[in-house]
PDB file of all heavy atoms in Angstrom:
ATOM      1  N   THR A 289     -34.255   5.122   3.723  1.00 90.00           N
ATOM      2  CA  THR A 289     -34.800   3.771   3.698  1.00 90.00           C
ATOM      3  C   THR A 289     -35.836   3.657   4.812  1.00 90.00           C
ATOM      4  O   THR A 289     -35.844   4.445   5.758  1.00 90.00           O
ATOM      5  CB  THR A 289     -33.707   2.705   3.911  1.00 90.00           C
ATOM      6  OG1 THR A 289     -33.063   2.944   5.173  1.00 90.00           O
ATOM      7  CG2 THR A 289     -32.666   2.747   2.808  1.00 90.00           C
ATOM      8  N   THR A 290     -36.663   2.631   4.702  1.00 87.00           N
ATOM      9  CA  THR A 290     -37.701   2.423   5.717  1.00 87.00           C
ATOM     10  C   THR A 290     -37.581   1.075   6.410  1.00 87.00           C
ATOM     11  O   THR A 290     -38.221   0.841   7.426  1.00 87.00           O
ATOM     12  CB  THR A 290     -39.094   2.508   5.065  1.00 87.00           C
ATOM     13  OG1 THR A 290     -39.261   1.415   4.147  1.00 87.00           O
ATOM     14  CG2 THR A 290     -39.270   3.827   4.338  1.00 87.00           C
ATOM     15  N   GLY A 291     -36.788   0.170   5.845  1.00 85.00           N
ATOM     16  CA  GLY A 291     -36.705  -1.169   6.406  1.00 85.00           C
ATOM     17  C   GLY A 291     -37.937  -1.997   6.122  1.00 85.00           C
ATOM     18  O   GLY A 291     -38.193  -2.999   6.794  1.00 85.00           O
ATOM     19  N   THR A 292     -38.705  -1.615   5.103  1.00 88.00           N
ATOM     20  CA  THR A 292     -39.936  -2.318   4.745  1.00 88.00           C
ATOM     21  C   THR A 292     -39.935  -2.589   3.245  1.00 88.00           C
ATOM     22  O   THR A 292     -38.993  -2.230   2.517  1.00 88.00           O
ATOM     23  CB  THR A 292     -41.169  -1.481   5.105  1.00 88.00           C
ATOM     24  OG1 THR A 292     -41.252  -0.353   4.203  1.00 88.00           O
ATOM     25  CG2 THR A 292     -41.100  -0.973   6.535  1.00 88.00           C
ATOM     26  N   ALA A 293     -41.043  -3.175   2.785  1.00 91.00           N
ATOM     27  CA  ALA A 293     -41.186  -3.444   1.352  1.00 91.00           C
ATOM     28  C   ALA A 293     -41.251  -2.175   0.524  1.00 91.00           C
ATOM     29  O   ALA A 293     -41.094  -2.211  -0.699  1.00 91.00           O
ATOM     30  CB  ALA A 293     -42.435  -4.291   1.102  1.00 91.00           C
ATOM     31  N   ALA A 294     -41.414  -1.027   1.185  1.00 91.00           N
ATOM     32  CA  ALA A 294     -41.398   0.243   0.458  1.00 91.00           C
ATOM     33  C   ALA A 294     -40.021   0.559  -0.111  1.00 91.00           C
ATOM     34  O   ALA A 294     -39.881   1.464  -0.941  1.00 91.00           O
ATOM     35  CB  ALA A 294     -41.859   1.380   1.371  1.00 91.00           C
ATOM     36  N   ASP A 295     -39.015  -0.179   0.330  1.00 93.00           N
ATOM     37  CA  ASP A 295     -37.651   0.022  -0.186  1.00 93.00           C
ATOM     38  C   ASP A 295     -37.376  -0.815  -1.427  1.00 93.00           C
ATOM     39  O   ASP A 295     -36.209  -1.044  -1.773  1.00 93.00           O
ATOM     40  CB  ASP A 295     -36.628  -0.353   0.889  1.00 93.00           C
ATOM     41  CG  ASP A 295     -36.667   0.563   2.097  1.00 93.00           C
ATOM     42  OD1 ASP A 295     -37.026   1.740   1.933  1.00 93.00           O
ATOM     43  OD2 ASP A 295     -36.342   0.092   3.198  1.00 93.00           O
ATOM     44  N   ALA A 296     -38.400  -1.274  -2.120  1.00 95.00           N
ATOM     45  CA  ALA A 296     -38.189  -2.163  -3.268  1.00 95.00           C
ATOM     46  C   ALA A 296     -37.273  -1.545  -4.315  1.00 95.00           C
ATOM     47  O   ALA A 296     -36.401  -2.214  -4.885  1.00 95.00           O
ATOM     48  CB  ALA A 296     -39.539  -2.541  -3.890  1.00 95.00           C
ATOM     49  N   ALA A 297     -37.438  -0.249  -4.583  1.00 96.00           N
ATOM     50  CA  ALA A 297     -36.588   0.400  -5.585  1.00 96.00           C
ATOM     51  C   ALA A 297     -35.125   0.420  -5.137  1.00 96.00           C
ATOM     52  O   ALA A 297     -34.204   0.244  -5.958  1.00 96.00           O
ATOM     53  CB  ALA A 297     -37.086   1.815  -5.851  1.00 96.00           C
ATOM     54  N   VAL A 298     -34.893   0.636  -3.839  1.00 96.00           N
ATOM     55  CA  VAL A 298     -33.522   0.619  -3.310  1.00 96.00           C
ATOM     56  C   VAL A 298     -32.917  -0.764  -3.503  1.00 96.00           C
ATOM     57  O   VAL A 298     -31.763  -0.909  -3.926  1.00 96.00           O
ATOM     58  CB  VAL A 298     -33.512   1.014  -1.825  1.00 96.00           C
ATOM     59  CG1 VAL A 298     -32.095   0.954  -1.276  1.00 96.00           C
ATOM     60  CG2 VAL A 298     -34.103   2.406  -1.639  1.00 96.00           C
ATOM     61  N   VAL A 299     -33.697  -1.799  -3.197  1.00 97.00           N
ATOM     62  CA  VAL A 299     -33.206  -3.165  -3.361  1.00 97.00           C
ATOM     63  C   VAL A 299     -32.856  -3.430  -4.826  1.00 97.00           C
ATOM     64  O   VAL A 299     -31.775  -3.963  -5.136  1.00 97.00           O
ATOM     65  CB  VAL A 299     -34.258  -4.176  -2.866  1.00 97.00           C
ATOM     66  CG1 VAL A 299     -33.833  -5.604  -3.197  1.00 97.00           C
ATOM     67  CG2 VAL A 299     -34.476  -4.014  -1.370  1.00 97.00           C
ATOM     68  N   ALA A 300     -33.729  -3.056  -5.726  1.00 96.00           N
ATOM     69  CA  ALA A 300     -33.471  -3.277  -7.157  1.00 96.00           C
ATOM     70  C   ALA A 300     -32.200  -2.563  -7.596  1.00 96.00           C
ATOM     71  O   ALA A 300     -31.387  -3.116  -8.350  1.00 96.00           O
ATOM     72  CB  ALA A 300     -34.662  -2.800  -7.979  1.00 96.00           C
ATOM     73  N   GLY A 301     -32.005  -1.332  -7.115  1.00 97.00           N
ATOM     74  CA  GLY A 301     -30.813  -0.586  -7.501  1.00 97.00           C
ATOM     75  C   GLY A 301     -29.540  -1.206  -6.975  1.00 97.00           C
ATOM     76  O   GLY A 301     -28.536  -1.312  -7.703  1.00 97.00           O
ATOM     77  N   VAL A 302     -29.534  -1.640  -5.718  1.00 97.00           N
ATOM     78  CA  VAL A 302     -28.328  -2.241  -5.142  1.00 97.00           C
ATOM     79  C   VAL A 302     -28.002  -3.562  -5.823  1.00 97.00           C
ATOM     80  O   VAL A 302     -26.839  -3.873  -6.098  1.00 97.00           O
ATOM     81  CB  VAL A 302     -28.499  -2.415  -3.622  1.00 97.00           C
ATOM     82  CG1 VAL A 302     -27.373  -3.257  -3.047  1.00 97.00           C
ATOM     83  CG2 VAL A 302     -28.543  -1.052  -2.943  1.00 97.00           C
TER      84      VAL A 302
END
Side-chain angles (χ1 to χ4, degrees):
T289 59
T290 66
T292 71
D295 294 331
V298 178
V299 173
V302 170

